Amino acid sequence: MKRFLTGVKPTGFAHLGNYFGAIKPAIELSKQKDSECLYFIADYHALTTVESGAEMEEYFYNIACTWLACGLDPEKVIFYRQSDIKEDFELNWILCNVTPKGLMNRAHAYKAMVEKNSENGVEKDDGVNMGLYNYPILMTADIVLFDTDFVPVGFDQKQHVEIARDIVHNFNLKYGKTLKEPNEYIDKNCATLVGLDGRKMSKSYNNTIRLFGTSGELKKSIMRIVTDSRLPGEPKDKECTVNKLFKLFASAEEAEKFENDLLAGLGWGEAKNRLFEVADRYISPMREKYNHYMAHKDEVDKILADGAVKARSIASKVLSRVRKAIGVK
Ligand code: TRP
């Protein structure tokens, strides 16, 4: 039995890139035999970017309800909120003491800030708070608190898992083998989506299609997809964004027909209408569940509270082992 653990930051509304790139593959993974999965909402990591309490609460429920609506089964997955796991923050502090400051200087989010500041000719640590600087240590605590084997992440998070291994290595060297070294798990089934402008779909490019907006909002977003200026009757490029997105929602047969129609000159307006139809058909049943959870947040709170109990029963044992190793009873 292998243990998989991953965290999701509530820093925005879930979009199609999140769904096909992370949520769907993670839910499929949780249905496999021989895997035990812990998925959590990393609300304390989101503090580095979220602007207010109201925003935090809004994004938090958006993410929690999204995962449940997309089929996360709380019987199969231990699903919880990071801030409920007090052990995490105790371990975080302990790990600070085996983490060289230089290792944090090399972490990519911090390094990117420093580089940006030097380009702008301002002081190198301008706008950097200790939450951002120590972010990889808390992430290490999140992971190793559960004796995690694998961390499903995208490429952008690979360095963080490497840092976690370094920190564990330092701890074990000093105190004897206590913590498990985690490995990143990069799923081949994860799709990287193109966004409205043809670049990778990402909140930072402002080119996303929201997963659970209304049907009308979905249509509006699809109509905003940038296309070339080829007229109806002219053959379209099969590598276009509209075709790439269509494939994700349609059956193989439908996708083949659509592609042939594009090559035969289907107009962009009609093509987008057809994309909207398959996307909405795919999303509608999940959207209904999402709306249900959003209207019954007490059910969501209960699921997360049960998840926290299960998670803490694992975490407390690992933390006891750590406290014993460092000589704290
Ligand atoms: N840093 C991750 C991200 O930005 C979120 C995260 C927090 C995480 N703690 C984690 C991911 C632990 C995996 C394991 O996406």
Side-chain angles (χ1 to χ4, degrees):
M1 183 70 99
K2 293 291 177 204
R3 189 172 279 161
F4 293 78
L5 172 143
T6 197
V8 189
K9 266 192 305 187
T11 49
F13 296 112
H15 57 72
L16 292 183
N18 300 136
Y19 176 74
F20 288 104
I23 303 173
K24 185 169 175 264
I27 289 174
E28 277 162 14
L29 179 66
S30 73
K31 291 179 180 156
Q32 278 176 17
K33 277 202 216 98
D34 303 330
S35 69
E36 183 189 21
C37 294
L38 290 99
Y39 298 160
F40 69 97
I41 303 174
D43 51 353
Y44 275 12
H45 271 122
L47 286 175
T48 58
T49 44
V50 168
E51 301 285 342
S52 70
E55 196 175 272
M56 172 71 93
E57 200 174 321
E58 183 171 32
Y59 291 152
F60 175 80
Y61 281 108
N62 172 267
I63 297 298
C65 298
T66 295
W67 280 74
L68 292 168
C70 293
L72 180 143
D73 176 357
E75 297 294 316
K76 287 214 178 78
V77 177
I78 302 183
F79 186 46
Y80 60 95
R81 169 180 197 151
Q82 179 187 34
S83 55
D84 281 339
I85 314 299
K86 309 297 174 215
E87 291 80 0
D88 198 18
F89 310 103
E90 187 172 340
L91 183 59
N92 173 61
W93 179 253
I94 298 169
L95 295 179
C96 282
N97 295 278
V98 290
T99 305
K101 179 168 175 286
L103 186 63
M104 295 300 96
N105 291 341
R106 292 190 291 276
H108 64 68
Y110 172 68
K111 237 173 95 179
M113 285 285 271
V114 171
E115 277 160 18
K116 203 175 102 206
N117 284 338
S118 85
E119 274 165 29
N120 296 340
V122 295
E123 204 265 324
K124 86 176 181 23
D125 283 336
D126 199 60
V128 176
N129 63 45
M130 292 309 290
L132 176 80
Y133 192 69
N134 287 338
Y135 185 109
I137 311 179
L138 180 57
M139 182 157 160
T140 301
D142 295 338
I143 297 168
V144 303
L145 185 58
F146 296 94
D147 288 334
T148 300
D149 295 293
F150 292 108
V151 187
V153 281
F155 268 109
D156 62 318
Q157 294 296 313
K158 192 168 171 269
Q159 189 200 29
H160 283 146
V161 183
E162 287 161 4
I163 290 175
R165 272 202 299 278
D166 281 348
I167 296 176
V168 167
H169 179 80
N170 291 345
F171 186 95
N172 289 348
L173 213 59
K174 185 166 178 190
Y175 295 108
K177 197 168 173 356
T178 312
L179 293 169
K180 191 176 229 174
E181 282 189 21
N183 282 291
E184 60 275 8
Y185 175 82
I186 303 200
D187 193 331
K188 290 170 288 304
N189 298 323
C190 286
T192 306
L193 249 63
V194 278
L196 296 176
D197 58 358
R199 290 187 291 174
K200 178 185 173 207
M201 190 180 285
S202 161
K203 204 187 125 208
S204 31
Y205 294 150
N206 194 20
N207 65 356
T208 62
I209 299 178
R210 196 166 151 182
L211 178 58
F212 294 134
T214 61
S215 197
E217 283 164 345
L218 177 63
K219 185 155 196 175
K220 245 185 164 164
S221 296
I222 288 174
M223 293 304 160
R224 280 177 49 219
I225 295 173
V226 176
T227 58
D228 58 28
S229 52
R230 283 181 236 186
L231 298 170
E234 290 183 65
K236 307 295 181 295
D237 181 358
K238 64 181 184 181
E239 294 305 318
C240 66
T241 306
V242 177
N243 195 31
K244 282 184 184 157
L245 291 175
F246 191 93
K247 286 191 181 125
L248 296 166
F249 299 108
S251 68
E253 236 169 274
E254 289 169 328
E256 197 189 325
K257 175 159 192 318
F258 187 71
E259 189 167 299
N260 288 336
D261 290 350
L262 283 173
L263 293 173
L266 182 68
W268 287 123
E270 178 55 19
K272 286 178 174 182
N273 277 329
R274 281 166 61 180
L275 169 59
F276 165 70
E277 268 161 41
V278 288
D280 197 51
R281 178 187 74 191
Y282 186 105
I283 293 170
S284 280
M286 299 195 292
R287 188 193 291 121
E288 263 170 49
K289 285 194 206 158
Y290 173 79
N291 290 338
H292 168 87
Y293 284 118
M294 286 298 281
H296 298 85
K297 295 204 176 99
D298 51 324
E299 286 179 28
V300 180
D301 291 339
K302 170 85 172 61
I303 289 169
L304 292 168
D306 289 349
V309 170
K310 291 185 215 164
R312 291 188 75 186
S313 85
I314 302 171
S316 61
K317 290 191 195 104
V318 178
L319 184 64
S320 302
R321 214 163 70 210
V322 169
R323 290 177 57 129
K324 207 168 149 220
I326 63 172
V328 173
K329 282 240 176 95

